[in-house]
Amino acid sequence: MGRVEGKVIVVTGAASGLGLADARMLVAEGARIVMTDVNVEKGVELAKEIGAMFVHQDVADESGWTALMSTVASEHGRLDGLVNNAGIARIANIEQTTTEIWRETLAIHLDGTFWGCQTAIKLMKQGGGGSIVNMSSTAALVGIPAYFAYSAAKGGIRSMTKSIAIHCKQQKLGIRCNSIHPGSISTPMVHHALRELVGVDLTAETDPEKTRIALGVGEPDDVAHMVVYLMSDESKHITGTELVIDNGDTVA
Ligand SMILES: NC(=O)c1ccc[n+]([C@@H]2O[C@H](COP(=O)([O-])OP(=O)(O)OC[C@H]3O[C@@H](n4cnc5c(N)ncnc54)[C@H](O)[C@@H]3O)[C@@H](O)[C@H]2O)c1
């Protein structure tokens, strides 16, 4: 038996990086995964490869969430887990952030997480409970000037998670909601940041593994292990918490 055997779990932004690692590990632990992403080509290809279902979704579109949950209900009859993972990270400090960057960032991270949680709770309630993981960041915990809008959005995800957790507990819904706060993890998003901010192209290095470790950058599976734990019944007494995965960077 896998650690999440038979559970029906939606992972957003699953065509790359952390979402892909989460989906892969959850499938290996017995879950029935619905991967969603705006990148249809990659999503379809990867879902086929790992044995999951793929649904095209822009998390910043409210009607897409309603449609997604209808598909999950008709295909699987239930929803046990949601990983609100989809995200973008535009590099711009307070002086450089345009209204367009601000609105786009908040729409994907905050609106997307809000609608995801709201629509998931509706379906999870019918099955007697579930687990929601909201992908925040250490940017929610410390100041990161180069990611102004992103940090604001991740801070919002952190606090919204706690309100949802307590609401679900008070209403005895059997639904848990937690946030994960990674530091730098080796994904296309961070490769881009390293190129732009540090001048390092990790993908072009002769020994990328050595450079990754030297830069203190983690691996997607470091996060996926935590997602599996939070999706499993092993974490049944954990809700409203924020789990930091940064090799101690934010406590230094
Ligand atoms: N990699 C890190 O170090 C790190 C650290 C902290 C937080 N995070 C968070 O983890 C999540 C995943 O990041 P990643 O590093 O894997 O990035 P990534 O760029 O590799 O993957 C992000 C995925 O989200 C998808 N996506 C973007 N906008 C979308 C939308 N509107 N609707 C649906 N899908 C959309 C992309 O197509 C892509 O497949 C993000 O929320 C990110 O902010 C990452």
Side-chain angles (χ1 to χ4, degrees), residues 29-149:
E29 290 291 346
R32 287 182 282 160
I33 294 296
V34 179
M35 299 166 67
T36 85
D37 208 289
V38 282
N39 188 338
V40 179
E41 202 183 320
K42 273 269 163 225
V44 168
E45 179 194 324
L46 291 162
K48 196 171 165 202
E49 182 193 310
I50 70 175
M53 179 182 171
F54 177 79
V55 174
H56 171 235
Q57 182 202 21
D58 175 355
V59 295
D61 171 22
E62 185 177 9
S63 61
W65 276 107
T66 316
L68 171 68
M69 292 304 167
S70 298
T71 304
V72 172
S74 62
E75 291 287 325
H76 297 289
R78 56 184 296 118
L79 179 67
D80 302 293
L82 168 66
V83 186
N84 274 315
N85 167 81
I88 58 161
R90 302 274 181 252
I91 299 172
N93 64 32
I94 172 67
E95 298 189 70
Q96 298 161 332
T97 298
T98 60
T99 302
E100 192 192 350
I101 291 176
W102 176 258
R103 295 235 162 95
E104 182 191 30
T105 305
L106 267 56
I108 292 174
H109 291 279
L110 282 183
D111 296 1
T113 303
F114 157 51
W115 289 321
C117 292
Q118 192 176 62
T119 54
I121 288 170
K122 208 169 166 187
L123 189 51
M124 284 174 177
K125 266 165 80 169
Q126 296 168 18
S131 173
I132 299 171
V133 165
N134 292 331
M135 203 55 71
S136 182
S137 164
T138 50
L141 310 174
V142 295
I144 303 188
Y147 288 101
F148 174 69

Side-chain angles (χ1 to χ4, degrees), residues 17-18 89 91 135-144 146-147 150 154 180-195 197-198 200 202 208-209 211-224 243-250:
L18 302 188
I91 299 172
M135 203 55 71
S136 182
S137 164
T138 50
L141 310 174
V142 295
I144 303 188
Y147 288 101
Y150 178 83
K154 292 302 194 186
I180 291 184
H181 301 256
S184 287
I185 309 289
S186 183
T187 69
M189 182 185 280
V190 161
H191 298 162
H192 174 73
L194 288 174
R195 271 195 304 272
L197 300 172
V198 189
V200 173
L202 203 56
E209 205 40 23
T211 313
R212 179 186 68 74
I213 293 163
L215 290 170
V217 174
E219 298 172 279
D221 278 359
D222 295 334
V223 176
L243 294 159
V244 179
I245 309 183
D246 71 344
N247 201 24
D249 283 350
T250 48

Side-chain angles (χ1 to χ4, degrees), residues 110 113 134 136 140-141 152-166 177 179 181 240-242:
L110 282 183
T113 303
N134 292 331
S136 182
L141 310 174
K154 292 302 194 186
I157 290 174
R158 172 178 179 256
S159 57
M160 128 168 43
T161 300
K162 294 182 196 303
S163 299
I164 292 165
I166 300 310
C177 187
S179 56
H181 301 256
T241 200
E242 49 192 73

Side-chain angles (χ1 to χ4, degrees), residues 6-29:
K7 288 187 189 288
V8 177
I9 301 170
V10 169
V11 182
T12 69
S16 175
L18 302 188
L20 176 60
D22 297 345
R24 207 188 286 277
M25 201 178 285
L26 287 163
V27 167
E29 290 291 346

